[in-house]
Amino acid sequence: MRYASFEINGQASYGVVDGAGQYRRVPVAFQARYANLKDVIAADALVALAEAAMAGGEQLKPEQVRLLPVIPNPGKLICVGLNYKSHVAETRRADSEYPSLFLRFNDSLAAHDDVVLRPAFSERFDWEGELAFVIGKGGRHIAKEKAFEHIAGYACFNDVSVRDWQKHTHQFTPGKNFPGTAPFGPVLVSRDEVPDVTALTLETRVNGQVVQHASVGDLIFDIPTIVAYVSRFTPLSPGDVIATGTPGGVGDRREPPMYMKEGDVAEVEITGLGVLRNRIGTDHSAS
């Protein structure tokens, strides 16, 4: 099943996307019980949501909704860096024994079709197409062989980076947390619809040009390893989001470098998860 968070006439809601691409809004009584998709996941009620939305939910056309990030309010938003050999090679960094992690703030998230704003004081606005997964069942010290039991589903993610700010020091935080620079969506595809996540293909395009193309099976630290490692130092909770890293092909490492500018369109497509599309704008507020 495919789940989505969205606004209707300025009111936040959520529901499912049916086989015809129509949105089925959750019934009012159901949303009164579970305010958002994260609450549904925490209650282990995704199946109940699908049944309620398909049976009695209002049917909406795509143009009637404004999508939100799949999980607008994750308790934790954890990103893995340097997790494809092709990206490690282009950055000229040494291999690492452990996953390289950094955190994003919730207000750095954006939705499918949002305009992603490049700060006017930086020209180094770069794409990073990624697979993200959402925690369904929380836990601590999760064993690798149990990891997939803790995943609710998968979605596309674009870890858009302000490279000069990312490189001010060896800490990534500033360049990874400008508001609205992490598109996440368009939908959450439930784990049962992705029997082999390593078989998925990730592709990033800028203005139709393919800039990244890789198999999710090429991850250095696979999803079970990530879940086991992260859950050793922090408890994972339903609705937490983990982005698994980007393959080679980022603009900053091209010769000459290639960055996104106003009017560009960035797309991240992953097999079976849809296409996450965003136009680039410019934030002149601090110029």
Side-chain angles (χ1 to χ4, degrees):
M1 184 58 70
R2 295 166 180 265
Y3 303 92
S5 297
F6 45 79
E7 285 184 349
I8 305 168
N9 298 322
Q11 288 191 325
S13 189
Y14 60 90
V16 302
V17 184
D18 63 24
Q22 304 293 304
Y23 292 84
R24 299 275 187 153
R25 183 183 188 178
V26 66
V28 173
F30 195 96
Q31 188 168 1
R33 186 174 182 185
Y34 307 113
N36 50 56
L37 195 52
K38 186 175 80 169
D39 289 351
V40 175
I41 293 171
D44 191 23
L46 283 175
V47 173
L49 162 60
E51 292 173 348
M54 293 302 291
E58 179 185 4
Q59 188 171 359
L60 302 161
K61 296 178 181 180
E63 57 268 26
Q64 292 178 275
V65 306
R66 175 186 174 270
L67 286 177
L68 299 172
V70 171
I71 304 294
N73 58 335
K76 299 182 181 74
L77 177 51
I78 300 169
C79 301
V80 185
L82 303 168
N83 202 22
Y84 284 82
K85 284 284 188 181
S86 56
H87 187 45
V88 173
E90 70 182 359
T91 61
R92 300 182 179 89
R93 292 176 179 261
D95 291 345
S96 175
E97 185 178 355
Y98 301 103
S100 173
L101 303 178
F102 59 92
L103 305 179
R104 271 188 175 268
F105 309 140
N106 284 356
D107 65 1
S108 73
L109 287 172
H112 173 72
D113 272 344
D114 277 355
V115 176
V116 175
L117 297 178
R118 173 189 63 84
F121 48 78
S122 175
E123 299 296 331
R124 299 174 65 182
F125 203 52
D126 204 353
W127 60 83
E128 290 195 14
E130 307 193 10
L131 169 77
F133 61 89
V134 176
I135 295 298
K137 180 173 70 173
R140 185 85 190 274
H141 309 300
I142 299 169
K144 288 184 183 181
E145 58 270 21
K146 300 287 187 179
F148 286 109
E149 298 175 14
H150 291 261
I151 293 175
Y154 304 94
C156 302
F157 192 87
N158 194 346
D159 182 32
V160 175
S161 304
V162 183
R163 294 297 187 196
D164 43 355
W165 279 71
Q166 179 185 343
K167 296 179 180 180
H168 281 174
T169 71
H170 65 282
Q171 297 288 346
F172 290 178
T173 301
K176 297 289 191 175
N177 278 287
F178 280 75
T181 54
F184 178 32
V187 296
L188 178 71
V189 177
S190 57
R191 187 187 75 230
D192 62 294
E193 291 201 7
V194 187
D196 182 5
V197 70
T198 66
L200 303 184
T201 297
L202 182 156
E203 184 171 280
T204 307
R205 298 181 291 271
V206 177
N207 300 328
Q209 175 186 345
V210 175
V211 291
Q212 292 179 300
H213 186 90
S215 168
V216 174
D218 292 339
L219 287 172
I220 297 171
F221 300 102
D222 62 13
I223 288 174
T225 300
I226 293 168
V227 170
Y229 182 78
V230 171
S231 69
R232 288 288 277 176
F233 74 84
T234 186
L236 289 172
S237 300
D240 285 351
V241 176
I242 300 180
T244 59
T246 200
V250 299
D252 194 59
R253 296 296 174 167
R254 292 172 175 264
E255 295 183 3
M258 174 183 172
Y259 300 110
M260 296 186 294
K261 60 188 183 301
E262 186 166 357
D264 285 349
V265 176
E267 297 175 306
V268 178
E269 181 172 9
I270 301 177
T271 314
L273 306 187
V275 179
L276 174 64
R277 182 181 300 107
N278 298 89
R279 186 171 296 277
I280 307 303
T282 303
D283 179 7
H284 294 283
S285 63
S287 60

